[in-house]
Structure formats: structure tokens, C-alpha cells
Amino acid sequence: MPRVRHKTFDCSAGCPVEGVLNLIDGKWKGVILYHLMSGTLRFNEIRRKLVNVTQRMLTNQLRELEADGLIIRKVYAEVPPKVEYSLSERGRSLEPVINALKAWGDANLAVDKIDVEAA
Amino acid sequence: MPRVRHKTFDCSAGCPVEGVLNLIDGKWKGVILYHLMSGTLRFNEIRRKLVNVTQRMLTNQLRELEADGLIIRKVYAEVPPKVEYSLSERGRSLEPVINALKAWGDANLAVDKIDVEAA
DNA sequence: CATCACGGTATCCTTTTTGACACTATATAC
DNA sequence: GTATATAGTGTCAAAAAGGATACCGTGATG
């Protein structure tokens, strides 16, 4: 499992920018946060939204988000297991950031263009 | 709001979010963009602002940003060499995004020791 | 002649991240 | 008694990212 992502952020002026990026990059974190903005989701609900994610990766990403205090993991003592993920206060405060990302993406990552570059 | 019409690669609704993240993650890209928001900079000026970056990494990051159309590289035929980097139109349009990142970082990563201790 | 500044390349190596795939527990349904 | 669903773990391997270090060309400076 990828270990401690948090070292100390000793950097200069642009540092906060990198700091946030360290929290939300990782192949699936952005999308996970985005989906959780719409409400609580269970493990497999998230999995179905992130089409190609493996269980291991999803678990990893969720654990890291949890460790960074952005999401809350709630386990129900049931069988079959039930685990719900939701945004914490801190996670919810990221909403403007995620929205800015989404807005720019929508405006500047037109599908045609991606097609051309990917081809 | 333009929406994704067709899946080029498996992404669901949160895709644009990941798309932008793919452009601006990389260990130094966020900070580079941040610094270029204040104006044109030469290679070594950027280098001095990113204290621990190696030449190789800085070159890499700048080339990727250039390839993604976010910055412009202008070479002067002089000796010693002079190369100026500045934001493109597209890069400048990222300003709200970078600002959102910076704002959140300033507000939530102020002293990261608090993270550890308070949690 | 030797050295510095500039903006890089070229090589090699280590660390980090991601992926494939197999395995687990248990209650319920068939 | 076999299969299903859930939410995971464990192990190994590949790929991507990042780092260390050395080198290049040239004109001016000492």
C-alpha cells in the first residue's frame, strides 16, 4: 500500500498549490471527490462509476482520502458488508476547487480535441 | 454547460476533473503555472523559485506544459542562451483554477503540523 | 588559458504508482 | 450444497515518475 503521502510541505510561494494537488491527484481521487459531492455512496456504487478501477486501487484511494481527512468512512456491522463514504467538512470545502476544475475541463477539454491527440 | 458527448476513454461524469488534473499534476507544474501568472520568466529564474528542482525535471515539466499548450517558449538566438517562458491564452485561462487551489491551500494547509496534531 | 553563465541533453538508477489476479468472510437465496 | 453479494486483502510485476550526475557549445571575463 502506498505509504504516507504527507511529508512536510516546506516550499516557497506556490506551495499551497502543490499542497492541494498532492491531496487530490492520484488517478481517481478527483473523480471520487466529484461524485461524493452529490452525496454519500457505497463502495461498489463508486466502483461502478469509475469504470476501470480495480478494487485494490479504489480501496487505496479511499484510504488516502480518508487519511487526509477529506472523506468519512462509515462501516455498518452487517452481512453482506455495508460501507458508506461521504465528504467530511473539509472535503466539502473543496467544492469550489473541484468545480473550478470541472468548469475548466468542460470548457477546454473538448472531446474532439482529446480524440485528435489520443489518436 | 458543454457536456461530454462521447467517451473517448472510459470516464464518467467526473472526467473533466481528471482531465485537468492530468495537465497540472506532475511534481512542479502547479507551482510553475502559479509563478508564470505573475509574468514571463527565464529558465533559471524559474529554477531559482523551485528550490529543489533539477534541470532535467524542470525541462521535462516545461516541455509537457508546452506540449499541452499551456505555456509558450520563446528562444532568443543569443549567447549565452536566453529562453523565456510565459502563459499562453489557454494557460492564462487556468487562472481561476490555480487561484482556487491556492486559496484552499492557504486556508487549509496553513501549517500542516496542525493536520497531524489536531487530527 | 581557464572559468563562468545559460539552457539545455544523455545515461543510469531508485522510488512511487498502478495493474493483474487470486483469496477471504458470512448471511441469504436457490 | 452451491452460488451470490459486499467490501475488502495479499502478493507480485510492470510502468511511470523522479533524481543524480556528467556533459555540450559559446561568448565574455580574468
Side-chain angles (χ1 to χ4, degrees), chain A residues 31 49 52 93 104 108 115, chain B residues 8 10 12 18 90 93 104:
Chain A
V31 209
K49 286 174 186 291
N52 279 325
S93 75
W104 195 91
N108 296 275
D115 271 333
Chain B
T8 36
D10 46 358
S12 47
E18 281 307 319
R90 194 181 200 214
S93 75
W104 195 92

Side-chain angles (χ1 to χ4, degrees), chain B residues 76-93:
Chain B
Y76 294 81
E78 296 177 8
V79 169
K82 177 177 172 185
V83 180
E84 284 183 350
Y85 291 93
S86 55
L87 292 178
S88 66
E89 255 326 287
R90 194 181 200 214
R92 213 180 323 278
S93 75

Side-chain angles (χ1 to χ4, degrees), chain B residues 11 45 50 87 107:
Chain B
C11 51
E45 289 177 325
L50 275 49
L87 292 178

Side-chain angles (χ1 to χ4, degrees), chain A residues 12 14 16 18-21 24 27 30-31 34-35 49 52 90 93-94 97 100-101 104-106 108-109 112 115, chain B residues 5 8 10 12 14 16 18-21 24 27 30-31 34 49 90 93-94 97 100-101 104-106 108-109 115:
Chain A
S12 46
E18 282 306 319
V20 188
L21 251 19
I24 66 180
K27 189 156 181 184
V31 209
Y34 175 76
H35 285 299
K49 286 174 186 291
N52 279 325
R90 193 181 201 215
S93 75
L94 270 174
V97 174
L101 289 168
W104 195 91
D106 283 337
N108 296 275
L109 297 174
D112 324 326
D115 271 333
Chain B
R5 291 161 281 184
T8 36
D10 46 358
S12 47
E18 281 307 319
V20 189
L21 252 18
I24 66 180
K27 189 155 179 185
V31 210
Y34 174 76
K49 285 173 186 295
R90 194 181 200 214
S93 75
L94 269 174
V97 174
L101 289 168
W104 195 92
D106 283 338
N108 296 275
L109 299 173
D115 268 345

Side-chain angles (χ1 to χ4, degrees), chain B residues 31-103:
Chain B
V31 210
I32 292 171
L33 290 172
Y34 174 76
H35 285 299
L36 286 179
M37 301 239 154
S38 312
T40 297
L41 291 172
R42 295 180 59 177
F43 185 87
N44 275 351
E45 289 177 325
I46 299 175
R47 185 139 86 118
R48 279 186 287 269
K49 285 173 186 295
L50 275 49
V51 185
N52 280 326
V53 75
T54 61
Q55 275 185 327
R56 186 170 103 37
M57 272 311 291
L58 182 51
T59 303
N60 275 355
Q61 303 282 289
L62 288 169
R63 289 291 147 68
E64 289 185 25
L65 289 170
E66 193 194 0
D68 288 331
L70 298 178
I71 64 173
I72 292 170
R73 178 168 179 267
K74 186 170 181 186
V75 182
Y76 294 81
E78 296 177 8
V79 169
K82 177 177 172 185
V83 180
E84 284 183 350
Y85 291 93
S86 55
L87 292 178
S88 66
E89 255 326 287
R90 194 181 200 214
R92 213 180 323 278
S93 75
L94 269 174
E95 202 156 357
V97 174
I98 303 290
N99 285 340
L101 289 168
K102 175 113 170 38

Side-chain angles (χ1 to χ4, degrees), chain A residues 22-87:
Chain A
N22 282 340
L23 297 183
I24 66 180
D25 76 7
K27 189 156 181 184
W28 306 96
K29 291 189 188 174
V31 209
I32 292 171
L33 290 171
Y34 175 76
H35 285 299
L36 286 179
M37 301 236 154
S38 314
T40 297
L41 291 172
R42 296 180 59 176
F43 186 87
N44 274 352
E45 289 177 324
I46 300 175
R47 185 139 88 116
R48 279 186 286 268
K49 286 174 186 291
L50 275 48
V51 185
N52 279 325
V53 74
T54 61
Q55 274 184 328
R56 186 173 137 328
M57 272 310 291
L58 182 53
T59 303
N60 276 354
Q61 302 281 292
L62 288 168
R63 291 296 198 285
E64 289 185 23
L65 288 170
E66 192 193 1
D68 288 330
L70 298 178
I71 65 173
I72 291 168
R73 177 167 179 267
K74 186 170 182 186
V75 182
Y76 295 81
E78 296 177 7
V79 169
K82 176 177 172 185
V83 180
E84 284 183 348
Y85 291 92
S86 55
L87 293 177

